[in-house]
Amino acid sequence: MYPKIEINVDNLIENAVKTKELCKSKGVKLSLVTKVLAGNKELVQKLVENGIDCICESRIKNLIEYKDLNIEKIDFEDEALKDIEEFENR
């Protein structure tokens, strides 16, 4: 009886496809923040196959898990550290 999230994969993929169409029409890349997916590589792979342009992740272990996916990956933690360094050097 712990909290859990149920993900309707078909609806999630349908939303990704529709969102991708909107983004593409405006020249915008569609990025996936994988937080709630908790390293679920199978689901991330399905989303990548259906139009996601970039994976955004803050956990290195998850980025390593996604290493074989042929897609741009952004490490939020690394980006945050760069922002802090830039701010401190002003």
Side-chain angles (χ1 to χ4, degrees):
M1 300 230 295
Y2 52 88
K4 66 179 181 176
I5 295 174
E6 291 186 28
I7 299 173
N8 183 317
V9 175
D10 293 334
N11 285 352
L12 189 60
I13 290 172
E14 180 181 345
N15 287 344
V17 169
K18 288 180 180 178
T19 303
K20 174 62 180 181
E21 291 170 5
L22 290 170
C23 289
K24 188 175 181 179
S25 72
K26 303 291 183 187
V28 175
K29 291 170 83 175
L30 180 59
S31 297
L32 170 67
V33 177
T34 61
K35 186 170 183 88
V36 75
L37 301 179
N40 183 328
K41 184 178 178 183
E42 181 181 334
L43 185 50
V44 171
Q45 170 95 34
K46 287 181 182 180
L47 290 165
V48 166
E49 291 168 358
N50 285 280
I52 300 298
D53 296 308
C54 176
I55 297 171
C56 304
E57 177 62 69
S58 63
R59 296 176 189 249
I60 297 297
K61 69 178 185 173
N62 290 343
L63 284 171
I64 292 168
E65 184 69 26
Y66 307 142
K67 71 181 175 191
D68 61 325
L69 298 179
N70 187 21
I71 190 168
E72 179 184 0
K73 297 163 194 81
I74 294 177
D75 176 0
F76 276 158
E77 197 167 290
D78 186 48
E79 293 299 317
L81 290 174
K82 288 178 188 173
D83 288 345
I84 290 169
E85 288 173 8
E86 182 180 326
F87 178 76
E88 289 176 345
N89 291 326
R90 287 185 179 182

